[in-house]
Amino acid sequence: MWRPRSRRDARGMSVIEVGALRKSYGGRAVVDGVSFAVEEGEIFGILGPNGAGKTTTVECVEGLRIPDAGRVRVTGLDPVADHEAVSRVLGAQLQESELQAKLTVREALELYAAFYPRPADWRPLAERLGLTERLGTRFGKLSGGQKQRLFIALALVGDPRVVVLDELTTGLDPRARRDTWELIEDVRAGGVTVLLVTHFMEEAQRLCDRIAVVDRGRVAALDTPAGLIRRATRSTVISFTPSAPLDEREVAALPRLASVVHQDGRITLGGTDETVDAVLTLLARRRITAHQLRVTDATLDDAFLDLTGAES
């Protein structure tokens, strides 16, 4: 099984620093004062709606775009002024990438390994990503999911200290997605710092130690997944189909009520545990049966919607 070389645990040190980052196109600010720091050995996620400035931010971290203002450092280096040095410690899987169509998977892995003085062994890496049977296949003949797995392998083949993964599992089926999550957990266990851009809430909640929610070019919130979920206006959701109509005034008076949705005779209430207790008491007092009763905790989706007002 492929594993990165073990590195000293240096939690508490910032390996990526972004301060007051700004980038505009045609007079429109795409990134407008973004700031965050990523600690050594953590998986740091960036979430946000389409067009929020996520990819532009990480492209500045990678040195692919020059910021209009602000400060970016990767292991203390400027990604633009020290681009060659940064490329030795940072691997990247871009949101959109292409290779020469006739290049085989084996040739691509050997080529990228040759760029680094101490590359990882690409063979077990290819096996872990399900590419062994495709080593002789030309890039142009790969499926979208196979291309995505190849780009992940190319980001890791240099045995980087930091890896940036932009939309890591887009195009992968559920089994391949979970296998890739396990690989990234292995990568972090080996001491590699991961900067992950994703729109999959389950992916962010499983993998990330901390998450920056970016909206309209700014950081709307920065916290652990659990911390973001606690910020949701409705930490608990109760849904049911009542056997008789409920008085809307009594429903509106429920404590800590955040939302009410009526659909096809079913009621969904967002609130807290206090709201749930109160609605169950109300139902019992009115002798109303709650058919198909469900009580669920808030998710990262709920927190995301509260923070951005956008759909994931």
Side-chain angles (χ1 to χ4, degrees):
M1 178 183 296
W2 174 83
R3 288 188 183 276
R5 284 189 286 271
S6 179
R7 293 175 170 85
R8 178 176 60 87
D9 185 1
R11 285 295 186 93
M13 297 174 57
S14 294
V15 70
I16 298 175
E17 299 175 43
V18 176
L21 181 67
R22 299 182 185 277
K23 183 66 179 178
S24 298
Y25 299 107
R28 183 176 72 88
V30 176
V31 178
D32 189 13
V34 166
S35 298
F36 60 84
V38 182
E39 293 181 4
E40 183 95 17
E42 78 171 331
I43 300 177
F44 187 95
I46 298 181
L47 286 176
N50 291 335
K54 306 184 301 296
T55 293
T56 298
T57 297
V58 297
E59 286 177 344
C60 290
V61 171
E62 294 159 342
L64 299 178
R65 295 193 184 276
I66 300 174
D68 295 335
R71 182 177 187 273
V72 181
R73 293 293 183 269
V74 177
T75 65
L77 302 168
D78 184 323
V80 176
D82 306 310
H83 187 71
E84 184 176 347
V86 169
S87 68
R88 296 195 192 102
V89 297
L90 184 145
Q93 170 258 326
L94 306 180
Q95 187 177 47
E96 295 183 8
S97 302
E98 285 294 325
L99 293 175
Q100 207 279 334
K102 293 185 177 181
L103 198 68
T104 67
V105 171
R106 181 190 300 273
E107 289 168 341
L109 289 166
E110 290 177 340
L111 175 64
Y112 273 63
F115 294 155
Y116 301 95
R118 297 177 63 244
D121 185 348
W122 60 261
R123 293 166 185 81
L125 179 57
E127 181 178 356
R128 181 65 188 270
L129 284 164
L131 294 170
T132 301
E133 295 182 358
R134 296 287 182 267
L135 291 177
T137 304
R138 299 184 188 280
F139 179 79
K141 297 295 184 181
L142 297 175
S143 69
Q146 290 164 350
K147 289 179 179 178
Q148 186 75 340
R149 292 199 295 272
L150 175 58
F151 285 125
I152 294 170
L154 296 178
L156 296 172
V157 76
D159 194 24
R161 183 177 170 188
V162 185
V163 65
V164 178
L165 304 170
D166 195 348
E167 303 298 354
L168 169 69
T169 56
T170 297
L172 300 186
D173 60 53
R175 178 68 262 173
R177 181 175 297 133
R178 291 182 183 276
D179 288 345
T180 303
W181 291 349
E182 291 177 4
L183 172 67
I184 299 309
E185 288 168 338
D186 285 350
V187 167
R188 189 267 291 279
V192 178
T193 302
V194 179
L195 180 57
L196 174 68
V197 179
T198 182
H199 67 273
F200 288 116
M201 297 297 135
E202 183 184 4
E203 181 169 281
Q205 191 163 347
R206 168 166 171 170
L207 293 179
C208 296
D209 298 297
R210 293 186 299 139
I211 298 170
V213 178
V214 177
D215 188 32
R216 299 177 180 87
R218 300 188 178 194
V219 175
L222 198 165
D223 208 334
T224 63
L228 291 174
I229 290 170
R230 283 195 296 270
R231 299 188 189 194
T233 56
R234 49 177 200 172
S235 60
T236 305
V237 177
I238 179 171
S239 61
F240 58 93
T241 301
S243 59
L246 279 168
D247 188 317
E248 289 300 320
R249 291 170 298 180
E250 290 185 309
V251 171
L254 290 169
R256 308 295 295 277
L257 183 67
S259 62
V260 181
V261 176
H262 294 268
Q263 185 174 13
D264 300 327
R266 190 167 180 80
I267 300 175
T268 300
L269 306 175
T272 67
D273 289 343
E274 186 179 351
T275 313
V276 174
D277 291 340
V279 74
L280 293 177
T281 300
L282 174 62
L283 290 169
R285 189 169 65 246
R286 298 301 182 207
R287 299 180 183 273
I288 295 174
T289 301
H291 296 292
Q292 297 177 317
L293 175 68
R294 286 189 63 192
V295 180
T296 58
D297 292 330
T299 66
L300 194 55
D301 281 281
D302 297 316
F304 180 84
L305 292 172
D306 282 349
L307 289 164
T308 67
E311 295 186 358
S312 59

